[in-house]
Amino acid sequence: MAQPKIKNMEEFAAASGISRPTVSKYFHDPDSVRPSTRQRIEIAIEKYDYRPNIFAMNQNRKLTKNIGIVVPLISDPYFAEIARSLESRCIDAGYRPSLFSAHGSAALEVEVLEHLRSLKPAGVLLAPLGRASDRKVLEKFCDDIPTLIFDSNVEEFGIAFVGSDNAQFTTHITDYLCRTGEPPCFFEMKTPANPNAHRRRQSYLTAMEGFGHAPQVISVAGEGWGFEEIGRVGGHEALSEGRFSTNTILCSNDRLAIGLLTACYERGLRVGHAEGCSIRVAGQDGHPHSRYTCPPLTTISHKYDAVSKSAAEALFAAIDGHVSPWKSTRLEGTLILRDSA
Amino acid sequence: MAQPKIKNMEEFAAASGISRPTVSKYFHDPDSVRPSTRQRIEIAIEKYDYRPNIFAMNQNRKLTKNIGIVVPLISDPYFAEIARSLESRCIDAGYRPSLFSAHGSAALEVEVLEHLRSLKPAGVLLAPLGRASDRKVLEKFCDDIPTLIFDSNVEEFGIAFVGSDNAQFTTHITDYLCRTGEPPCFFEMKTPANPNAHRRRQSYLTAMEGFGHAPQVISVAGEGWGFEEIGRVGGHEALSEGRFSTNTILCSNDRLAIGLLTACYERGLRVGHAEGCSIRVAGQDGHPHSRYTCPPLTTISHKYDAVSKSAAEALFAAIDGHVSPWKSTRLEGTLILRDSA
DNA sequence: ATATAAATTTTACGCGCGTAAAATATTTCT
DNA sequence: AGAAATATTTTACGCGCGTAAAATTTATAT
């Protein structure tokens, strides 16, 4: 309950009987003041409902408490989910996260980064667009601001990379598919936006060779981030031309698989490993929607929490000055068996 | 290409041969200075790559150029899509949008609003959680900051409401379903998070009465924002108990419908209006994913662009001081006929 | 209890820009 | 060209807080 109106730190400090620099120090780090002082300040905050002006706070600070979170496409529930998770971790660690999406556009990604600079963030968690990203801008940005790259690694930019072990993803699910039926073909975009796609194709080829099967990659045309539609249209084409050499299709990612499932439905093909099904389809990513496709999609899922935890902690450590050489952390995925394969 | 390093507006003004207050005025509104002056400033910006410190800019400004966009759940592609659209409009209009999600939590919504206050935004585009929202906090916020409510109206808060005409949505699609087969039952959550759900149920009842059919509402249990799962589990229950009195089910929203489709699949029920299908399912919202369900979902879609345009323009007008009495704008939806019904 | 370390207060200055008022220059109009 | 209207420059102050250094108080250790 506020009685008098406190309008700045000066007045707040006076009203709570503490000097302004100490109050300032408290807001910078509550643990940097004596416990008794901290308590007095916190009581006063309750009483006067005071909070410092964030613009004035950040103006002269070399290092703010801001953290930027940048994803290539927020409307993709996969990125939305991981962004949400990162956001929580930032807040819990006392930072102020700001979320940005490049909306699939390289130009916008550059703009976001530029805007982020002016926010003088303590650090940035960045999932780059990938292939389309402006390498030079990215590199410069990473040089200037502590940046952790996640999801898809571009080069050895920033302080570290955290993501999933795409090779393990594909090897693991390829193995599963081989053991439970015909060996899979690999269904992908010809020019994937994301570098992980290349790793997955490569792992598929390697795995198939290792298992003694002939690999077959079906690459479909399509630009941009409308993966479902690319999968659907490409699926129709490949299906009508009989380009799949086996009855099992491993998709490069879940969104492509979702589109392919739609194509299969539209062609009257029953998908699954049950009786009467003519085709098996599997995805990769553990997309939030994969549970609700028809049939529910067999996939290999990112460990969302683990990736987010690892990414956030690495960034926080770097911000706290714990320098360590650039490293790449890739977490294994979890196979999720459902009806589609 | 920057030769010398410009570090503040003072230096920038000196280097470009223009007084600092005029430069300041330019950044506040480029049209407020003479065209020749504007050009000189813009050439200098290019040359020195200068941009003002946003913290210092906003510190003393009574009105910033910030606009807050708040959605209840960013991981819902529907909100992600409309947020993206609003974001673009803000940028085009010269504002700086910041995106926030309440992640389905009322407590977080309050926190977001509180944080937004400290950003001294010129205006806010707010899609409230709905039923769970803290009314008093919302009201206070709307009193203090020009706020346009969109998607779901709580009370007559803020400067205006812009959303879809839920009554028209339901009436229209109910009509379609009645004309093309058995009249629909209505499938919904017992305690919906969103007030639009009540409008839809009511419209269903009214429409059915108008058409001379007996309505039947199936309300399923479930809390929170995991609509697909609620629809799936509730669908299983209702189906096993034979609670649907006709073969046609109109869902309160698309996400519920997606879950219901999964339930139907899991029970071996063929959905659609084609030969051999035992059940028809329709949704409401034009959810980005509805195109890719199996079968593709018949639904009635928000006019995303029109809603976003109307909302943004109303807010911009209010910010520019064009006061007008509170009003509610509700746009009609577009029926999207696909295979599910 | 006394020395030592740590926290706090005082004092003082600066950050980068907003903004108001008055003086001056430029444009526009007749 | 001269007057009126508009734009720009000068001048000057303030915003709310960061931060450094020295002085003082408080806590900790022996």
Side-chain angles (χ1 to χ4, degrees):
Chain A
M1 301 299 121
Q3 303 295 27
K5 288 273 173 74
I6 298 295
K7 46 175 210 177
N8 59 31
M9 199 180 277
E10 194 81 52
E11 289 185 18
F12 174 77
S16 50
I18 293 171
S19 78
R20 191 178 65 74
T22 301
V23 172
S24 170
K25 215 176 160 203
Y26 164 85
F27 279 111
H28 187 70
D29 176 8
D31 281 326
S32 68
V33 302
R34 209 182 296 151
S36 61
T37 310
R38 175 173 179 169
Q39 200 172 18
R40 283 167 64 200
I41 293 176
E42 283 168 353
I43 287 170
I45 290 177
E46 278 300 308
K47 184 171 174 190
Y48 299 108
D49 193 36
Y50 166 77
R51 34 212 79 208
N53 179 311
I54 54 174
F55 299 113
M57 276 186 70
N58 290 329
Q59 176 171 8
N60 297 328
R61 243 217 263 281
K62 36 206 106 250
L63 213 58
T64 69
K65 282 287 189 176
N66 303 331
I67 284 188
I69 300 175
V70 186
V71 296
L73 192 73
I74 192 67
S75 58
D76 184 330
Y78 160 66
F79 286 115
E81 171 56 25
I82 197 145
R84 189 202 56 75
S85 175
L86 288 170
E87 216 176 46
S88 300
R89 288 182 197 281
C90 289
I91 292 171
D92 291 348
Y95 294 100
R96 301 201 313 97
S98 305
L99 179 59
F100 299 92
S101 165
H103 297 314
S105 146
L108 240 175
E109 186 174 63
V110 171
E111 272 184 45
V112 164
L113 258 32
E114 213 161 286
H115 175 71
L116 220 36
R117 264 176 200 283
S118 68
L119 252 40
K120 292 195 278 187
V124 170
L125 294 157
L126 169 64
L129 276 171
R131 196 170 52 88
S133 291
D134 186 322
R135 287 285 211 287
K136 299 197 70 168
V137 169
L138 233 64
E139 180 164 26
K140 186 73 172 51
F141 185 86
C142 292
D143 282 351
D144 298 343
I145 291 165
T147 302
L148 185 133
I149 309 288
F150 70 97
D151 182 63
S152 79
N153 190 20
V154 179
E155 293 178 34
E156 296 200 357
F157 290 162
I159 56 174
F161 169 79
V162 175
S164 285
D165 183 345
N166 293 283
Q168 181 265 345
F169 269 46
T170 310
T171 304
H172 194 29
I173 197 164
T174 301
D175 173 50
Y176 163 77
L177 293 171
C178 288
R179 283 188 291 101
T180 53
E182 292 186 21
C185 318
F186 191 78
F187 185 68
E188 64 161 15
M189 286 170 67
K190 194 173 291 162
T191 49
N194 191 300
N196 292 337
H198 295 108
R199 282 203 181 74
R200 290 177 179 181
R201 186 203 316 106
Q202 197 49 54
S203 298
Y204 164 77
L205 295 172
T206 308
M208 289 291 276
E209 193 171 353
F211 300 146
H213 298 300
Q216 194 211 3
V217 173
I218 293 93
S219 300
V220 298
E223 285 290 326
W225 287 76
F227 298 171
E228 290 87 358
E229 189 60 14
I230 290 169
R232 191 185 71 86
V233 172
H236 270 299
E237 276 185 34
L239 253 10
S240 70
E241 296 168 10
R243 289 172 63 194
F244 296 114
S245 58
T246 80
N247 75 355
T248 301
I249 305 171
L250 173 59
C251 299
S252 181
N253 64 65
D254 282 349
R255 294 183 59 196
L256 226 40
I258 288 168
L260 178 58
L261 287 180
T262 305
C264 289
Y265 177 87
E266 288 171 347
R267 306 182 76 81
L269 258 47
R270 293 202 53 192
V271 177
H273 52 190
E275 287 296 309
C277 295
S278 57
I279 189 171
R280 294 193 304 163
V281 171
Q284 300 184 68
D285 278 340
H287 196 280
H289 204 88
S290 62
R291 172 63 186 88
Y292 300 101
T293 57
C294 296
L297 188 64
T298 287
T299 184
I300 181 156
S301 176
H302 298 275
K303 287 176 175 156
Y304 287 81
D305 265 11
V307 169
S308 129
K309 184 174 185 208
S310 179
E313 283 176 355
L315 181 64
F316 299 160
I319 292 173
D320 290 342
H322 304 142
V323 286
S324 44
W326 189 92
K327 85 172 177 183
S328 164
T329 305
R330 292 188 173 272
L331 303 174
E332 297 201 341
T334 313
L335 197 56
I336 300 186
L337 301 181
R338 292 197 276 240
D339 285 350
S340 78
Chain B
M1 300 309 118
Q3 305 296 26
K5 288 274 173 71
I6 299 292
K7 43 174 212 177
N8 60 29
M9 198 180 277
E10 194 81 52
E11 288 185 18
F12 175 76
S16 51
I18 293 171
S19 77
R20 190 178 65 73
T22 302
V23 173
S24 170
K25 215 176 160 204
Y26 164 85
F27 280 111
H28 187 69
D29 176 10
D31 282 325
S32 67
V33 303
R34 208 182 297 152
S36 62
T37 310
R38 175 174 179 168
Q39 201 172 20
R40 284 167 62 202
I41 293 176
E42 282 169 354
I43 287 169
I45 290 177
E46 279 299 308
K47 184 169 172 193
Y48 299 109
D49 192 38
Y50 167 76
R51 31 213 82 208
N53 179 312
I54 51 174
F55 298 113
M57 277 185 71
N58 290 329
Q59 175 170 9
N60 296 327
R61 245 217 264 279
K62 33 204 102 255
L63 214 57
T64 69
K65 282 285 189 178
N66 303 330
I67 285 188
I69 301 174
V70 187
V71 296
L73 192 72
I74 193 65
S75 58
D76 184 329
Y78 161 67
F79 287 115
E81 171 56 25
I82 196 142
R84 190 200 56 73
S85 176
L86 289 170
E87 217 176 44
S88 300
R89 289 183 197 281
C90 289
I91 291 171
D92 292 347
Y95 294 99
R96 303 199 315 96
S98 304
L99 178 59
F100 299 92
S101 164
H103 298 315
S105 145
L108 240 175
E109 186 174 63
V110 171
E111 272 183 45
V112 164
L113 259 32
E114 211 161 288
H115 175 70
L116 220 36
R117 264 177 200 282
S118 68
L119 251 40
K120 292 194 278 187
V124 169
L125 294 158
L126 169 64
L129 276 171
R131 196 171 52 88
S133 290
D134 186 322
R135 287 285 210 287
K136 301 198 69 168
V137 169
L138 234 63
E139 180 162 29
K140 185 73 172 51
F141 186 85
C142 292
D143 283 351
D144 298 343
I145 293 165
T147 302
L148 184 133
I149 309 287
F150 71 97
D151 181 65
S152 80
N153 190 18
V154 178
E155 292 179 37
E156 297 200 357
F157 290 162
I159 56 175
F161 169 79
V162 174
S164 287
D165 183 346
N166 293 284
Q168 182 264 344
F169 269 47
T170 309
T171 305
H172 194 28
I173 197 163
T174 300
D175 174 50
Y176 163 76
L177 292 170
C178 287
R179 284 188 291 99
T180 53
E182 293 186 22
C185 320
F186 191 79
F187 185 67
E188 64 161 17
M189 284 170 67
K190 195 171 295 165
T191 49
N194 192 301
N196 292 337
H198 296 108
R199 282 201 181 74
R200 291 177 178 180
R201 186 204 314 108
Q202 196 50 53
S203 298
Y204 163 77
L205 294 172
T206 308
M208 289 290 277
E209 192 172 354
F211 299 144
H213 299 300
Q216 192 211 6
V217 174
I218 292 94
S219 301
V220 299
E223 284 292 326
W225 288 76
F227 297 172
E228 291 87 358
E229 189 61 15
I230 291 169
R232 190 184 72 86
V233 173
H236 271 300
E237 276 183 33
L239 252 11
S240 70
E241 295 168 11
R243 289 172 63 192
F244 295 115
S245 58
T246 81
N247 76 354
T248 301
I249 304 171
L250 172 58
C251 299
S252 181
N253 64 65
D254 282 350
R255 293 182 61 196
L256 226 38
I258 287 169
L260 178 59
L261 286 180
T262 304
C264 289
Y265 176 86
E266 288 170 346
R267 305 182 78 82
L269 257 46
R270 291 201 56 192
V271 177
H273 51 189
E275 286 296 307
C277 294
S278 56
I279 189 171
R280 294 194 304 164
V281 172
Q284 300 184 69
D285 279 339
H287 195 279
H289 204 89
S290 62
R291 171 63 187 87
Y292 301 100
T293 56
C294 297
L297 189 64
T298 288
T299 184
I300 181 156
S301 178
H302 299 273
K303 288 176 174 157
Y304 286 83
D305 266 10
V307 169
S308 127
K309 185 174 185 210
S310 178
E313 283 175 357
L315 181 64
F316 300 159
I319 291 173
D320 290 342
H322 304 142
V323 285
S324 46
W326 189 93
K327 86 172 176 184
S328 165
T329 305
R330 293 188 172 271
L331 303 173
E332 295 200 340
T334 313
L335 198 56
I336 299 184
L337 300 181
R338 292 197 277 239
D339 286 350
S340 78

